[in-house]
Amino acid sequence: MNISKMDLNLLVYFDVLMRERSVTKAANQLSITQPAMSNGLKRLRDLLADPILVRTSDGMTPTQRALQLQPVVRDALSSLESAIQPQTEFDPATSERTFRIMASDYAESTLLLEVVRQLNQKAPGITLDVITPSDVTFHDVEHGKVDMAINRFEELPLSFHQKVLWYDTFSCVVNKLNPVVKNFTLEKYLSAQHIWVSKTGFGVGVGIDPNEVQKLGWVDLELSKIGKKRRIRVFTRHYHVALQLAREQNLVATLPTRAASIHKDDPNMVILEPPFDIPPIALKMAWSALLQHDAGHIWLRRLIIEIAKEQA
């Protein structure tokens, strides 16, 4: 294949088609007509001697050849987009930019409070639009519609850039009058009633089945490994709610230590070490390759990383 004779727009068509898996949606993304996109797909098929997308019961499904090419084309387009962007300086003191950040309740409670404080000092014109994990998808981040995602991820798309901000252990938070406080053994822990807090991920949330241990997260998975199960009375997606319930009720909240420490100075609360092993978790920041070289984005990423280091 002689690339000098190739219409490079076809690479853009390919990239969007692979993301959207739909001729109609791809055409809308590029603001062209559906017949024009269909013609582009036909030309791609002729060029690569491959169907690229095949209609199945699951919709338009990419071929193995297309899946192999997707990251190569994405990286090439990302590098080109970055190279031709105007080289403008970013001045945080005068910027009035809005950054959209997907953040879990855990990240909001422990990290973003300090980020906002420092933005008020260093970049008073910048606005943060903090979005919950259930409000966005990986595609929103990949397309740059969301500047970054800060959460505890088990898996991330290979196309994302990512940085571990910190590792955190677990602690148990209880009211000081809770009977379990004295001699906090595994037996006492299991005899108590508990609050479960979600490790919310991307996409629309769903209800919890207490019997599906694999989906309950780190705490319950580790208990299952030693043949134990706790009694969960309340399921919540908010750390502040869990802490308040632990404060006012005879309930135990097992949380990442940084979240538990929010109430460390409350005379009515006691923070205890769990009576069994729970592996540390990683708080990560992830962002699209499309924003990797954006000057303002670089500045904000560095600020967040420095704040995380200071809190380590």
Side-chain angles (χ1 to χ4, degrees):
M1 182 188 300
N2 187 345
I3 197 170
S4 65
K5 296 180 180 179
M6 176 183 172
D7 181 356
L8 295 182
N9 281 325
L10 292 178
L11 295 181
V12 178
Y13 288 10
F14 175 85
D15 182 51
V16 178
L17 281 165
M18 289 296 291
R19 290 204 305 263
E20 299 297 337
R21 310 287 172 90
S22 163
V23 171
T24 301
K25 291 181 180 179
N28 290 338
Q29 278 283 322
L30 294 176
S31 299
I32 63 175
T33 65
Q34 184 171 337
M37 179 55 74
S38 295
N39 182 58
L41 177 56
K42 181 181 182 302
R43 292 167 63 196
L44 278 165
R45 286 168 168 168
D46 293 341
L47 180 71
L48 299 174
D50 186 89
I52 300 175
L53 291 171
V54 178
R55 190 174 299 281
T56 68
S57 59
D58 295 324
M60 297 292 278
T61 302
T63 63
Q64 189 62 38
R65 169 75 165 148
L67 289 172
Q68 290 172 347
L69 284 173
Q70 184 179 17
V72 177
V73 172
R74 178 66 261 162
D75 287 347
L77 290 176
S78 177
S79 297
L80 183 59
E81 287 163 350
S82 299
I84 64 178
Q85 277 186 355
Q87 294 300 308
T88 56
E89 295 295 327
F90 177 77
D91 182 6
T94 60
S95 175
E96 296 184 349
R97 181 166 171 178
T98 295
F99 287 96
R100 291 178 175 83
I101 300 178
M102 188 291 291
S104 62
D105 182 56
Y106 167 65
E108 280 191 282
S109 302
T110 57
L111 175 67
L112 291 189
L113 289 177
E114 179 61 20
V115 171
V116 171
R117 190 186 71 79
Q118 293 206 24
L119 285 177
N120 286 337
Q121 296 176 354
K122 300 174 182 178
I126 285 180
T127 300
L128 287 190
D129 181 9
V130 183
I131 306 169
T132 64
S134 60
D135 290 335
V136 301
T137 66
F138 278 131
H139 282 170
D140 293 325
V141 179
E142 185 178 34
H143 297 173
K145 295 177 182 178
V146 176
D147 288 280
M148 61 187 65
I150 304 177
N151 204 346
R152 299 166 289 150
F153 303 105
E154 293 181 3
E155 293 184 4
L156 283 168
L158 295 177
S159 61
F160 283 20
H161 292 275
Q162 60 178 286
K163 172 73 176 178
V164 174
L165 296 176
W166 64 50
Y167 291 94
D168 201 358
T169 58
F170 280 81
S171 293
C172 297
V173 182
V174 297
N175 184 288
K176 69 177 183 180
L177 300 178
N178 192 314
V180 304
V181 170
K182 296 180 180 179
N183 191 25
F184 191 53
T185 62
L186 178 58
E187 183 179 1
K188 281 278 192 73
Y189 181 91
L190 296 174
S191 69
Q193 299 184 76
H194 295 263
I195 309 158
W196 177 95
V197 187
S198 167
K199 59 179 184 63
T200 312
F202 278 100
V204 178
V206 295
I208 291 296
D209 183 347
N211 295 315
E212 294 187 34
V213 173
Q214 294 295 330
K215 295 182 179 180
L216 290 179
W218 297 276
V219 175
D220 298 280
L221 182 59
E222 293 308 311
L223 280 173
S224 71
K225 290 179 180 178
I226 57 175
K228 304 296 183 182
K229 183 178 180 180
R230 61 177 174 165
R231 294 190 296 166
I232 301 172
R233 286 292 308 279
V234 180
F235 291 86
T236 181
R237 278 71 179 165
H238 302 283
Y239 284 92
H240 282 291
V241 172
L243 288 165
Q244 196 63 29
L245 285 170
R247 186 181 191 276
E248 297 179 3
Q249 307 289 332
N250 276 341
L251 298 172
V252 178
T254 306
L255 312 170
T257 300
R258 289 174 187 267
S261 297
I262 293 172
H263 283 204
K264 67 180 184 299
D265 297 323
D266 188 328
N268 295 308
M269 304 282 276
V270 177
I271 298 176
L272 304 167
E273 184 176 341
F276 59 99
D277 292 331
I278 309 174
I281 57 169
L283 181 69
K284 294 182 179 181
M285 176 170 63
W287 63 96
S288 168
L290 296 174
L291 296 169
Q292 170 68 3
H293 302 287
D294 179 280
H297 205 272
I298 292 171
W299 181 85
L300 182 60
R301 293 199 309 263
R302 287 175 176 170
L303 176 68
I304 291 173
I305 291 168
E306 285 303 314
I307 290 172
K309 285 181 180 178
E310 290 170 2
Q311 294 187 353

